[in-house]
Amino acid sequence: MTSILQAFYSTRSSLNWRSLGLVSALLLSACGGGPRDQTLEFFALGTEVSVSLYAVNERQAEDASEQLQSYFTRVGHDWYPWNPGELRAINIAIELQEPADVSPRLAAIIRRAAQIERLSNNRFNAGLGHLTERWGLHMLGDEPPSKPNINEVAKLLAQALGVTSIRWIDDRIVGAPSGLMLDLGGIAKGAILEDSVQILQSLDIENAIVNIGGDLTVIGDVNGRPASIGIRSPTEETPFATIDVAAGETIVTSGDYERFVEIDGARYSHILNPRTGYPVEHTSAVTVIHTDAMLADAAATALMVGGPAEFDQLASALEVEFALLIDASGDLRLTPAMDLRLKWLD
Ligand code: AMP
Ligand code: MG
């Protein structure tokens, strides 16, 4: 444990550390002065999307709104395996053991998922769709999910292998285990943040924050200052620390506090351990900052799986400099660089 953390503990003994499992990123200083600052808000991908645009003209704001919403609608279909669209078609082809042509962007995301699977030693695995579906993590049906038995879990896990087992010829999948089902839920948000930045930059928007349910990327700055993001416990309402997120950086939080499934009264994380097929229990939340949004997203998921025991080793294997983990009992782990960057609040 770090010195700052110890200081934090000793000065805040009254805080309920378990509740810090309820961490999420809270935007503090996005609402700068000028009349041309605009915020777009919409609901997409099952969450609130908020895009703050600084010093933009009316035309830029309108184009951004139109292009972003149509982009989010498209990927909500094409990259979500339970909606009709490209990823579902790919998964069906895999199940039928047929080749599948993949669009260049989606192929790049799947290949990146495979790379992070390798680097994380299978803590990140985007091929477990049959298991995430069976655990009811995506709350697809009207019926509450039932807990799968140990044999069922073992069988689904053994059949899935991983995204690294997909064979490609260019952007065509020519071979994959039939039990593999792509579920890009752990990395897609990073890709969507990347694409959103591209859309805004193509409209010559130089300063903006794209915020998808608390995971966000900063373009430029906020009226000359870096974006100050609060790390908070929702039960406390006020953040316990802030961090300046620089131009080009993405901050992502994975956790069991917002998204979980309830089976027979018990609460399960929506993140599965690919080695066991069971939901993660040892860790409540992980926050990662990185200039590579897809890596930030996937790394937060991988670090949730690795937990405190693998935190240092995994962060270094994934080349993640800035990460914070809160374990199930509320204890924190920080990378040294994150420790230096975090500003603890009184
Ligand atoms: P995130 O909120 O980015 O941590 O992503 C969680 C989502 O990723 C889940 O809802 C699943 O769709 C998927 N997922 C669950 N466990 C894993 C895992 N070990 N590796 C990759 N994706 C996962
Ligand atoms: Mg993720």
Side-chain angles (χ1 to χ4, degrees):
M1 202 152 295
T2 65
S3 56
I4 285 184
L5 196 56
Q6 278 157 359
F8 190 48
Y9 264 104
S10 59
T11 55
R12 285 172 182 76
S13 51
S14 61
L15 231 154
N16 175 2
W17 284 90
R18 198 174 170 89
S19 72
L20 288 176
L22 299 163
V23 161
S24 64
L26 169 77
L27 189 62
L28 288 181
S29 62
C31 45
R36 290 178 175 179
D37 293 353
Q38 303 226 25
T39 303
L40 317 170
E41 279 173 342
F42 52 94
F43 192 81
L45 315 168
T47 191
E48 297 283 342
V49 179
S50 163
V51 184
S52 306
L53 307 172
Y54 303 102
V56 288
N57 62 43
E58 212 50 50
R59 183 63 198 261
Q60 284 173 310
E62 278 168 19
D63 288 351
S65 174
E66 202 180 298
Q67 292 186 27
L68 284 176
Q69 287 188 70
S70 103
Y71 167 78
F72 273 77
T73 305
R74 180 172 71 72
V75 295
H77 282 94
D78 275 339
W79 297 358
Y80 185 67
W82 295 282
N83 278 341
E86 187 178 0
L87 190 58
R88 179 147 117 179
I90 294 167
N91 281 330
I92 291 172
I94 290 173
E95 195 161 357
L96 298 174
Q97 294 288 281
E98 289 172 356
D101 288 310
V102 185
S103 62
R105 182 59 173 150
L106 191 53
I109 298 167
I110 298 169
R111 286 197 168 100
R112 189 88 173 105
Q115 191 186 28
I116 295 168
E117 181 182 308
R118 213 174 283 119
L119 289 173
S120 72
N121 197 13
N122 195 33
R123 277 39 172 177
F124 186 83
N125 187 327
L128 303 180
H130 288 299
L131 265 170
T132 60
E133 186 174 309
R134 179 59 191 87
W135 273 102
L137 302 186
H138 295 275
M139 287 167 239
L140 300 165
D142 298 331
E143 298 289 312
S146 61
K147 189 175 173 183
N149 71 40
I150 196 162
N151 296 329
E152 217 179 327
V153 170
K155 192 172 158 203
L156 289 173
L157 191 63
Q159 289 171 349
L161 297 177
V163 181
T164 45
S165 61
I166 293 178
R167 284 184 294 114
W168 297 85
I169 294 180
D170 299 324
D171 285 344
R172 165 174 261 225
I173 292 178
V174 293
S178 62
L180 184 152
M181 176 178 169
L182 290 162
D183 169 2
L184 300 173
I187 191 170
K189 220 189 275 179
I192 292 166
L193 284 168
E194 262 179 21
D195 292 349
S196 301
V197 168
Q198 283 224 326
I199 290 171
L200 295 178
Q201 286 177 335
S202 76
L203 297 170
D204 293 327
I205 293 172
E206 290 171 0
N207 301 292
I209 295 174
V210 183
N211 181 343
I212 309 175
D215 297 335
L216 58 91
T217 301
V218 176
I219 307 176
D221 55 41
V222 180
N223 297 314
R225 284 170 293 129
S228 174
I229 305 301
I231 309 289
R232 71 177 169 93
S233 152
T235 53
E236 303 289 331
E237 280 304 320
T238 48
F240 65 86
T242 66
I243 192 154
D244 286 348
V245 180
E249 285 188 321
T250 295
I251 180 165
V252 170
T253 298
S254 266
D256 68 0
Y257 50 95
E258 259 182 350
R259 293 176 56 200
F260 56 86
V261 60
E262 226 175 86
I263 306 176
D264 301 334
R267 217 167 121 156
Y268 296 94
S269 161
H270 68 118
I271 295 169
L272 299 180
N273 183 339
R275 285 164 291 172
T276 62
Y278 279 78
V280 165
E281 286 182 2
H282 47 58
T283 302
S284 287
V286 171
T287 296
V288 170
I289 300 181
H290 208 284
T291 48
D292 179 331
M294 264 204 265
L295 178 61
D297 187 0
T301 309
L303 288 164
M304 276 290 296
V305 174
E310 296 181 357
F311 181 73
D312 295 333
Q313 179 269 323
L314 253 186
S316 114
L318 293 168
E319 296 187 16
V320 166
E321 221 185 323
F322 305 106
L324 173 160
L325 176 149
I326 298 164
D327 74 17
S329 44
D331 289 339
L332 267 75
R333 296 291 301 265
L334 297 112
T335 55
M338 187 68 147
D339 192 353
L340 290 172
R341 245 179 114 166
L342 220 54
K343 298 175 190 167
W344 301 99
L345 296 171
D346 288 331

